Amino acid sequence: MKNTNSSFTSNLNPQPHSGPQVTPAPQGSKGGPKPVAPPGIRTTARDYANPVDYQHPYPSMAQFADLLALRYDANRTRHSYYRQLRLIHQHCQCDPATLTEAQLRDYFLFVKLKKHWKPKSIRQALASAKVFFVELLGKPDWTLFAQIRAQDHDTLPAVLTRPQVQALLGHIRLRRYRTPLKLIYCCGLRLSECLGLTIHDIRGKENKLLVRHGKGDKDRVVPLPTSMYEELRRYWAFHRHPLLLFPNIGRGGHDPKVLAQRMRQATCPMPHNSLQRLLILARKQLNIPAASVHSLRHSFATHLLEAGAHLHTIQKLLGHAQINSTMVYLHLTHQTSQDALRLVDELCQGLPA
């Protein structure tokens, strides 16, 4: 194969003229060298601002933003907690610091019974309210927080069969969309993890992919199939962005030269909704009842389990903190269903007609 660029062929150590510089990692550090992004290029799939920089309607909300900055490292977490307090403020139309316990109880009844929030959203709103009212305002005697329960429902995620995955990916005609979707399935990535990849995260000679700043701001290493590595090389050789693997395509003409230039000059990764919208459209055209981009990650885990992979191995590949999160795939494997059917058939044998 033609040597596309030193950043892909020399184990992602680009020459000074071919891409961003890499700062050597300290001895014994994990994850290898940390790339230094060129000025103006964002490497995260989504940009979350620090709530400290927001325009705050009340001093109490500014104090809450300061507390979140001290407590949490990830802007995404700070943003989510501050957003929950802002929703309380918008619903009650007043300074949240002036709310009574009864008013806050009415708000949680509203989002649970009227808005039909999912348990995860209710738990996040509850966590945000506890930080604000208990820790910031000093109201530990409020009993509301001990009364709210929001347990997850026992629902199984949508999983595709291997023929369905092949048909779905084959239905995505444009390579610039099909390649990241294939990578999500082949490596079990989250959508944000895939779109935030840089050329420094590919270790083709070692058949490894570095996933930086995953859920919980954790790094992990996953196997990278050789065929997928070669496809990533061809994909990158088209646009040759100095850092991003999946740069934003932008708006404009579809002439290959013009498109490649736009991608080469992109300052952020491809937006999430580009892939989400395409996959849902393809799923409907193929009459697949339920599937999303995240279903490819669920399918990756389920198909590995069916092939005999150990549950703890899948846990590490997916980046799950708890094995319970991985055990859900035991309910989704075809082999498990077949074993159960065989045992049930044996139980039924010999019973009176």
Side-chain angles (χ1 to χ4, degrees):
M1 177 176 294
K2 183 179 179 180
N3 189 340
T4 56
N5 189 287
S6 58
S7 57
F8 256 98
T9 57
S10 60
N11 204 21
L12 300 179
N13 289 315
Q15 300 299 322
H17 66 276
S18 62
Q21 297 300 305
V22 177
T23 302
Q27 185 68 25
S29 65
K30 297 173 64 178
K34 298 291 184 180
V36 179
I41 295 182
R42 170 166 57 86
T43 58
T44 53
R46 287 181 178 174
D47 190 18
Y48 293 95
N50 191 332
V52 170
D53 301 323
Y54 294 170
Q55 295 293 324
H56 309 287
Y58 299 103
S60 63
M61 298 183 70
Q63 295 170 6
F64 184 60
D66 291 340
L67 177 57
L68 294 177
L70 293 172
R71 173 70 59 83
Y72 303 104
D73 293 331
N75 273 339
R76 180 174 183 174
T77 304
R78 300 168 183 166
H79 167 83
S80 298
Y81 275 46
Y82 188 91
R83 175 180 175 273
Q84 292 295 343
L85 184 67
R86 189 177 68 244
L87 291 175
I88 294 176
H89 146 64
Q90 292 173 347
H91 175 77
C92 298
Q93 293 295 308
C94 66
D95 183 349
T98 64
L99 293 178
T100 65
E101 184 177 11
Q103 288 175 307
L104 187 61
R105 179 183 287 108
D106 289 340
Y107 172 75
F108 275 100
L109 286 172
F110 169 75
V111 299
K112 187 171 186 178
L113 301 180
K114 300 294 185 182
K115 301 292 288 184
H116 303 290
W117 279 13
K118 292 184 178 180
K120 183 178 180 180
S121 299
I122 295 176
R123 290 198 301 270
Q124 188 181 77
L126 177 63
S128 174
K130 288 179 68 174
V131 174
F132 180 76
F133 289 100
V134 176
E135 300 187 28
L136 181 64
L137 301 184
K139 298 181 179 180
D141 56 328
W142 283 16
T143 60
L144 172 65
F145 303 116
Q147 297 171 358
I148 299 175
R149 291 289 183 271
Q151 298 292 333
D152 286 321
H153 307 304
D154 293 330
T155 56
L156 296 177
V159 170
L160 304 170
T161 64
R162 293 186 68 178
Q164 284 177 327
V165 171
Q166 295 168 1
L168 198 60
L169 294 177
H171 200 73
I172 306 295
R173 183 174 58 85
L174 297 176
R175 184 181 64 174
R176 58 180 178 267
Y177 298 118
R178 186 173 63 248
T179 298
L181 290 172
K182 284 181 63 176
L183 184 63
I184 289 174
Y185 172 71
C186 291
C187 296
L189 304 181
R190 299 178 178 92
L191 177 57
S192 59
E193 293 171 346
C194 175
L195 297 183
L197 289 172
T198 71
I199 59 175
H200 302 283
D201 299 327
I202 311 299
R203 295 290 185 269
K205 294 181 180 179
E206 306 170 32
N207 286 102
K208 293 179 180 178
L209 176 69
L210 305 183
V211 182
R212 304 184 192 272
H213 307 298
K215 191 173 184 179
D217 204 27
K218 296 179 180 179
D219 296 352
R220 70 182 188 276
V221 179
V222 299
L224 178 64
T226 301
S227 60
M228 195 70 238
Y229 167 64
E230 296 296 341
E231 181 165 344
L232 291 177
R233 286 183 61 189
R234 293 190 295 268
Y235 183 91
W236 179 85
F238 171 73
H239 61 75
R240 293 178 177 269
H241 192 279
L243 182 64
L244 300 175
L245 190 57
F246 300 113
N248 190 12
I249 296 167
R251 297 179 180 272
H254 297 287
D255 178 80
K257 291 184 179 180
V258 176
L259 180 62
Q261 184 177 7
R262 284 205 312 269
M263 295 175 70
R264 190 178 306 119
Q265 297 173 349
T267 59
C268 62
M270 181 187 300
H272 284 60
N273 57 7
S274 298
L275 295 181
Q276 291 169 330
R277 184 175 60 251
L278 266 177
L279 191 133
I280 291 176
L281 179 62
R283 182 257 294 176
K284 291 180 178 178
Q285 291 175 346
L286 293 173
N287 293 321
I288 296 176
S292 65
V293 173
H294 206 65
S295 300
L296 296 175
R297 173 175 156 91
H298 293 316
S299 302
F300 161 83
T302 304
H303 298 165
L304 275 185
L305 195 59
E306 289 177 343
H310 196 278
L311 198 62
H312 287 282
T313 300
I314 299 174
Q315 177 191 4
K316 292 180 180 179
L317 295 180
L318 294 178
H320 284 164
Q322 302 294 332
I323 190 65
N324 290 342
S325 301
T326 317
M327 289 179 65
V328 68
Y329 299 111
L330 291 172
H331 301 281
L332 301 171
T333 60
H334 178 71
Q335 186 61 44
T336 301
S337 301
Q338 291 299 310
D339 291 343
L341 178 61
R342 177 177 53 80
L343 292 173
V344 171
D345 281 340
E346 292 177 359
L347 289 176
C348 294
Q349 291 178 3
L351 294 178

